[in-house]
Amino acid sequence: MVILICDAFDASLPQRLAPFGEVTDDLSRLGDAHVALIRSKTRATAEWLAQAPNLKLIIRGGVGLDNVDRAAAQARGIEVRNTPRASSVAVAELAMAMMLAIPNRLIEAHTSMKEGKWLKKDLKRTELFGKTLGLIGVGLIGSEVAKRAAAFGMTVIAYDPFVPQHPVATMKPLDEVLATSDYLSLHTPLTDETRGMINAASIAKMKKGVIIINTGRGKVVVEEDLAAALASGQVAAYGTDVWYSDPPDPSCPLLTAPNVLMAPHIGASSRENLLRIGDEVVAILKEFKI
Ligand code: NAD
């Protein structure tokens, strides 16, 4: 069995997979591969699958399967698996890190000191305590954020059409979540319903000065609409790990909009998560028979 590691996994993975067959990261071996390990970088399109005549299994290390053409894979009898549980804590901690960095003005504090400035009087902070966090999507990651936000003394509400009740978040209709949240954190997959759901119309329903955190998917927001809302102050700040493309096109309006805290899609990239993903990959290969 030839196992092709296409994207970045923990450095220990090749050794851990060696008992299952030949392990390679030589992408020119796609044609020989029986198993392909991908994360978010590789796009497993129909054209990509056509170059892999021996492929029987794709393992997507991580959650979202929006980079895999599952219909094309199914038509070829290729099984597609992911590692949905591994990444929840890693992504939730990044969402919390952004939610803490923005009101505590950590980036301005750090960069101004690097520039030799002492902005003690200018850098006014605000607290998470007592604020309302609205979660859009309260699955595995949203639930980890809910627990952490509650521990900070936030009121946690959520909109999720598939979750009627939640142990931490109070479920509300979307418009109520939009209208009452001081912070909004986006944790949905990218679907026909969620694509572009944060747009001029939904932003107009939000509290003025809302802070939006996006560790879900870039295309859940309409970038132009959000950039305009940041410029007007309707949205006070946007913390994002996710983009229309990895990396974003230089013309992406959010790269130059005010009050944007940016990360290069590192939500799943904690050392611990890469090890957990490795554990799940090994477990999948143990049960998979070619
Ligand atoms: P999950 O499936 O456990 O939860 C997603 C939730 O979104 C579900 O409860 C679902 O009911 C809800 N949902 C679906 N459609 C919705 C809609 N229209 N409105 C509101 N809620 C809706 O998945 P998860 O593990 O929590 O991951 C969520 C997303 O986070 C993934 O799909 C992926 O896009 C993203 N993600 C990002 C990173 C990163 O590196 N930043 C890493 C992992 C996952």
PDB file of all heavy atoms in Angstrom, residues 91-101 128 133 144-145 148-149 152 154 213:
ATOM      1  N   VAL A  91      -8.926  24.988  17.693  1.00  0.00           N
ATOM      2  CA  VAL A  91      -9.605  26.107  17.022  1.00  0.00           C
ATOM      3  C   VAL A  91     -10.303  26.994  18.062  1.00  0.00           C
ATOM      4  O   VAL A  91     -10.253  28.224  17.973  1.00  0.00           O
ATOM      5  CB  VAL A  91     -10.613  25.587  15.969  1.00  0.00           C
ATOM      6  CG1 VAL A  91     -11.273  26.761  15.252  1.00  0.00           C
ATOM      7  CG2 VAL A  91      -9.928  24.683  14.966  1.00  0.00           C
ATOM      8  N   ALA A  92     -10.917  26.353  19.062  1.00  0.00           N
ATOM      9  CA  ALA A  92     -11.606  27.140  20.099  1.00  0.00           C
ATOM     10  C   ALA A  92     -10.610  28.044  20.828  1.00  0.00           C
ATOM     11  O   ALA A  92     -10.921  29.203  21.146  1.00  0.00           O
ATOM     12  CB  ALA A  92     -12.310  26.211  21.086  1.00  0.00           C
ATOM     13  N   GLU A  93      -9.420  27.539  21.098  1.00  0.00           N
ATOM     14  CA  GLU A  93      -8.433  28.385  21.797  1.00  0.00           C
ATOM     15  C   GLU A  93      -7.999  29.559  20.914  1.00  0.00           C
ATOM     16  O   GLU A  93      -7.745  30.658  21.423  1.00  0.00           O
ATOM     17  CB  GLU A  93      -7.223  27.547  22.240  1.00  0.00           C
ATOM     18  CG  GLU A  93      -7.566  26.640  23.420  1.00  0.00           C
ATOM     19  CD  GLU A  93      -6.348  26.118  24.173  1.00  0.00           C
ATOM     20  OE1 GLU A  93      -5.223  26.600  23.920  1.00  0.00           O
ATOM     21  OE2 GLU A  93      -6.525  25.222  25.021  1.00  0.00           O
ATOM     22  N   LEU A  94      -7.921  29.350  19.593  1.00  0.00           N
ATOM     23  CA  LEU A  94      -7.562  30.489  18.730  1.00  0.00           C
ATOM     24  C   LEU A  94      -8.692  31.524  18.717  1.00  0.00           C
ATOM     25  O   LEU A  94      -8.436  32.733  18.772  1.00  0.00           O
ATOM     26  CB  LEU A  94      -7.230  30.031  17.305  1.00  0.00           C
ATOM     27  CG  LEU A  94      -6.770  31.174  16.406  1.00  0.00           C
ATOM     28  CD1 LEU A  94      -5.406  31.726  16.847  1.00  0.00           C
ATOM     29  CD2 LEU A  94      -6.713  30.759  14.942  1.00  0.00           C
ATOM     30  N   ALA A  95      -9.940  31.044  18.660  1.00  0.00           N
ATOM     31  CA  ALA A  95     -11.078  31.987  18.711  1.00  0.00           C
ATOM     32  C   ALA A  95     -11.023  32.787  20.012  1.00  0.00           C
ATOM     33  O   ALA A  95     -11.204  34.012  20.011  1.00  0.00           O
ATOM     34  CB  ALA A  95     -12.400  31.226  18.591  1.00  0.00           C
ATOM     35  N   MET A  96     -10.755  32.101  21.134  1.00  0.00           N
ATOM     36  CA  MET A  96     -10.655  32.807  22.416  1.00  0.00           C
ATOM     37  C   MET A  96      -9.460  33.772  22.417  1.00  0.00           C
ATOM     38  O   MET A  96      -9.546  34.879  22.959  1.00  0.00           O
ATOM     39  CB  MET A  96     -10.515  31.813  23.578  1.00  0.00           C
ATOM     40  CG  MET A  96     -11.761  31.029  23.912  1.00  0.00           C
ATOM     41  SD  MET A  96     -13.252  32.013  24.215  1.00  0.00           S
ATOM     42  CE  MET A  96     -12.791  32.935  25.668  1.00  0.00           C
ATOM     43  N   ALA A  97      -8.347  33.334  21.830  1.00  0.00           N
ATOM     44  CA  ALA A  97      -7.162  34.200  21.789  1.00  0.00           C
ATOM     45  C   ALA A  97      -7.481  35.498  21.054  1.00  0.00           C
ATOM     46  O   ALA A  97      -7.089  36.588  21.488  1.00  0.00           O
ATOM     47  CB  ALA A  97      -5.999  33.465  21.115  1.00  0.00           C
ATOM     48  N   MET A  98      -8.231  35.391  19.942  1.00  0.00           N
ATOM     49  CA  MET A  98      -8.605  36.597  19.194  1.00  0.00           C
ATOM     50  C   MET A  98      -9.588  37.439  20.002  1.00  0.00           C
ATOM     51  O   MET A  98      -9.502  38.666  20.029  1.00  0.00           O
ATOM     52  CB  MET A  98      -9.204  36.208  17.844  1.00  0.00           C
ATOM     53  CG  MET A  98      -8.153  35.665  16.901  1.00  0.00           C
ATOM     54  SD  MET A  98      -8.828  35.330  15.282  1.00  0.00           S
ATOM     55  CE  MET A  98      -7.330  35.513  14.291  1.00  0.00           C
ATOM     56  N   MET A  99     -10.513  36.732  20.666  1.00  0.00           N
ATOM     57  CA  MET A  99     -11.530  37.452  21.447  1.00  0.00           C
ATOM     58  C   MET A  99     -10.896  38.170  22.640  1.00  0.00           C
ATOM     59  O   MET A  99     -11.443  39.128  23.149  1.00  0.00           O
ATOM     60  CB  MET A  99     -12.590  36.457  21.919  1.00  0.00           C
ATOM     61  CG  MET A  99     -13.987  37.006  21.773  1.00  0.00           C
ATOM     62  SD  MET A  99     -15.214  35.912  22.474  1.00  0.00           S
ATOM     63  CE  MET A  99     -14.926  34.402  21.661  1.00  0.00           C
ATOM     64  N   LEU A 100      -9.767  37.683  23.089  1.00  0.00           N
ATOM     65  CA  LEU A 100      -9.049  38.350  24.176  1.00  0.00           C
ATOM     66  C   LEU A 100      -8.107  39.428  23.645  1.00  0.00           C
ATOM     67  O   LEU A 100      -7.968  40.503  24.237  1.00  0.00           O
ATOM     68  CB  LEU A 100      -8.242  37.319  24.981  1.00  0.00           C
ATOM     69  CG  LEU A 100      -9.080  36.479  25.945  1.00  0.00           C
ATOM     70  CD1 LEU A 100      -8.338  35.219  26.352  1.00  0.00           C
ATOM     71  CD2 LEU A 100      -9.445  37.305  27.178  1.00  0.00           C
ATOM     72  N   ALA A 101      -7.454  39.150  22.531  1.00  0.00           N
ATOM     73  CA  ALA A 101      -6.439  40.090  22.018  1.00  0.00           C
ATOM     74  C   ALA A 101      -7.066  41.408  21.572  1.00  0.00           C
ATOM     75  O   ALA A 101      -6.487  42.477  21.777  1.00  0.00           O
ATOM     76  CB  ALA A 101      -5.682  39.449  20.854  1.00  0.00           C
ATOM     77  N   LEU A 128     -14.289  41.115  28.671  1.00  0.00           N
ATOM     78  CA  LEU A 128     -15.267  40.140  28.168  1.00  0.00           C
ATOM     79  C   LEU A 128     -16.373  39.918  29.206  1.00  0.00           C
ATOM     80  O   LEU A 128     -17.522  39.646  28.847  1.00  0.00           O
ATOM     81  CB  LEU A 128     -14.585  38.797  27.875  1.00  0.00           C
ATOM     82  CG  LEU A 128     -13.552  38.774  26.742  1.00  0.00           C
ATOM     83  CD1 LEU A 128     -13.031  37.354  26.543  1.00  0.00           C
ATOM     84  CD2 LEU A 128     -14.142  39.298  25.437  1.00  0.00           C
ATOM     85  N   LEU A 133     -21.880  36.880  24.073  1.00  0.00           N
ATOM     86  CA  LEU A 133     -21.251  36.224  22.922  1.00  0.00           C
ATOM     87  C   LEU A 133     -22.325  35.464  22.163  1.00  0.00           C
ATOM     88  O   LEU A 133     -23.025  34.631  22.750  1.00  0.00           O
ATOM     89  CB  LEU A 133     -20.173  35.235  23.392  1.00  0.00           C
ATOM     90  CG  LEU A 133     -19.653  34.276  22.303  1.00  0.00           C
ATOM     91  CD1 LEU A 133     -18.915  35.035  21.206  1.00  0.00           C
ATOM     92  CD2 LEU A 133     -18.747  33.202  22.899  1.00  0.00           C
ATOM     93  N   GLU A 144     -16.870  24.212  22.467  1.00  0.00           N
ATOM     94  CA  GLU A 144     -15.645  24.462  23.251  1.00  0.00           C
ATOM     95  C   GLU A 144     -15.489  25.962  23.527  1.00  0.00           C
ATOM     96  O   GLU A 144     -15.044  26.366  24.598  1.00  0.00           O
ATOM     97  CB  GLU A 144     -14.406  23.920  22.516  1.00  0.00           C
ATOM     98  CG  GLU A 144     -14.349  22.400  22.398  1.00  0.00           C
ATOM     99  CD  GLU A 144     -14.267  21.674  23.740  1.00  0.00           C
ATOM    100  OE1 GLU A 144     -13.751  22.237  24.719  1.00  0.00           O
ATOM    101  OE2 GLU A 144     -14.745  20.526  23.810  1.00  0.00           O
ATOM    102  N   VAL A 145     -15.859  26.784  22.540  1.00  0.00           N
ATOM    103  CA  VAL A 145     -15.812  28.235  22.757  1.00  0.00           C
ATOM    104  C   VAL A 145     -16.833  28.636  23.820  1.00  0.00           C
ATOM    105  O   VAL A 145     -16.545  29.453  24.703  1.00  0.00           O
ATOM    106  CB  VAL A 145     -16.051  28.999  21.425  1.00  0.00           C
ATOM    107  CG1 VAL A 145     -16.182  30.500  21.671  1.00  0.00           C
ATOM    108  CG2 VAL A 145     -14.926  28.724  20.438  1.00  0.00           C
ATOM    109  N   ARG A 148     -15.555  28.044  27.324  1.00  0.00           N
ATOM    110  CA  ARG A 148     -14.487  28.984  27.716  1.00  0.00           C
ATOM    111  C   ARG A 148     -15.050  30.393  27.938  1.00  0.00           C
ATOM    112  O   ARG A 148     -14.656  31.096  28.867  1.00  0.00           O
ATOM    113  CB  ARG A 148     -13.384  28.981  26.652  1.00  0.00           C
ATOM    114  CG  ARG A 148     -12.548  27.702  26.739  1.00  0.00           C
ATOM    115  CD  ARG A 148     -11.828  27.358  25.441  1.00  0.00           C
ATOM    116  NE  ARG A 148     -11.034  26.142  25.623  1.00  0.00           N
ATOM    117  CZ  ARG A 148     -11.548  24.905  25.634  1.00  0.00           C
ATOM    118  NH1 ARG A 148     -12.851  24.719  25.435  1.00  0.00           N
ATOM    119  NH2 ARG A 148     -10.780  23.857  25.836  1.00  0.00           N
ATOM    120  N   ALA A 149     -15.977  30.802  27.072  1.00  0.00           N
ATOM    121  CA  ALA A 149     -16.557  32.148  27.210  1.00  0.00           C
ATOM    122  C   ALA A 149     -17.374  32.237  28.493  1.00  0.00           C
ATOM    123  O   ALA A 149     -17.343  33.263  29.198  1.00  0.00           O
ATOM    124  CB  ALA A 149     -17.429  32.463  25.995  1.00  0.00           C
ATOM    125  N   PHE A 152     -15.356  33.008  31.378  1.00  0.00           N
ATOM    126  CA  PHE A 152     -14.965  34.423  31.448  1.00  0.00           C
ATOM    127  C   PHE A 152     -16.126  35.317  31.892  1.00  0.00           C
ATOM    128  O   PHE A 152     -15.987  36.540  31.896  1.00  0.00           O
ATOM    129  CB  PHE A 152     -14.444  34.893  30.079  1.00  0.00           C
ATOM    130  CG  PHE A 152     -12.972  34.647  29.901  1.00  0.00           C
ATOM    131  CD1 PHE A 152     -12.495  33.417  29.479  1.00  0.00           C
ATOM    132  CD2 PHE A 152     -12.047  35.639  30.180  1.00  0.00           C
ATOM    133  CE1 PHE A 152     -11.142  33.171  29.335  1.00  0.00           C
ATOM    134  CE2 PHE A 152     -10.686  35.410  30.037  1.00  0.00           C
ATOM    135  CZ  PHE A 152     -10.234  34.167  29.622  1.00  0.00           C
ATOM    136  N   MET A 154     -19.098  35.552  30.341  1.00  0.00           N
ATOM    137  CA  MET A 154     -19.915  36.063  29.235  1.00  0.00           C
ATOM    138  C   MET A 154     -21.272  35.359  29.244  1.00  0.00           C
ATOM    139  O   MET A 154     -21.379  34.203  29.687  1.00  0.00           O
ATOM    140  CB  MET A 154     -19.227  35.798  27.888  1.00  0.00           C
ATOM    141  CG  MET A 154     -17.859  36.455  27.756  1.00  0.00           C
ATOM    142  SD  MET A 154     -17.140  36.221  26.105  1.00  0.00           S
ATOM    143  CE  MET A 154     -17.793  37.666  25.240  1.00  0.00           C
ATOM    144  N   ILE A 213     -15.580  37.354  15.229  1.00  0.00           N
ATOM    145  CA  ILE A 213     -14.437  36.442  15.171  1.00  0.00           C
ATOM    146  C   ILE A 213     -14.793  35.322  14.197  1.00  0.00           C
ATOM    147  O   ILE A 213     -15.866  34.714  14.313  1.00  0.00           O
ATOM    148  CB  ILE A 213     -14.151  35.812  16.568  1.00  0.00           C
ATOM    149  CG1 ILE A 213     -14.013  36.884  17.662  1.00  0.00           C
ATOM    150  CG2 ILE A 213     -12.927  34.898  16.504  1.00  0.00           C
ATOM    151  CD1 ILE A 213     -12.832  37.793  17.548  1.00  0.00           C
TER     152      ILE A 213
END
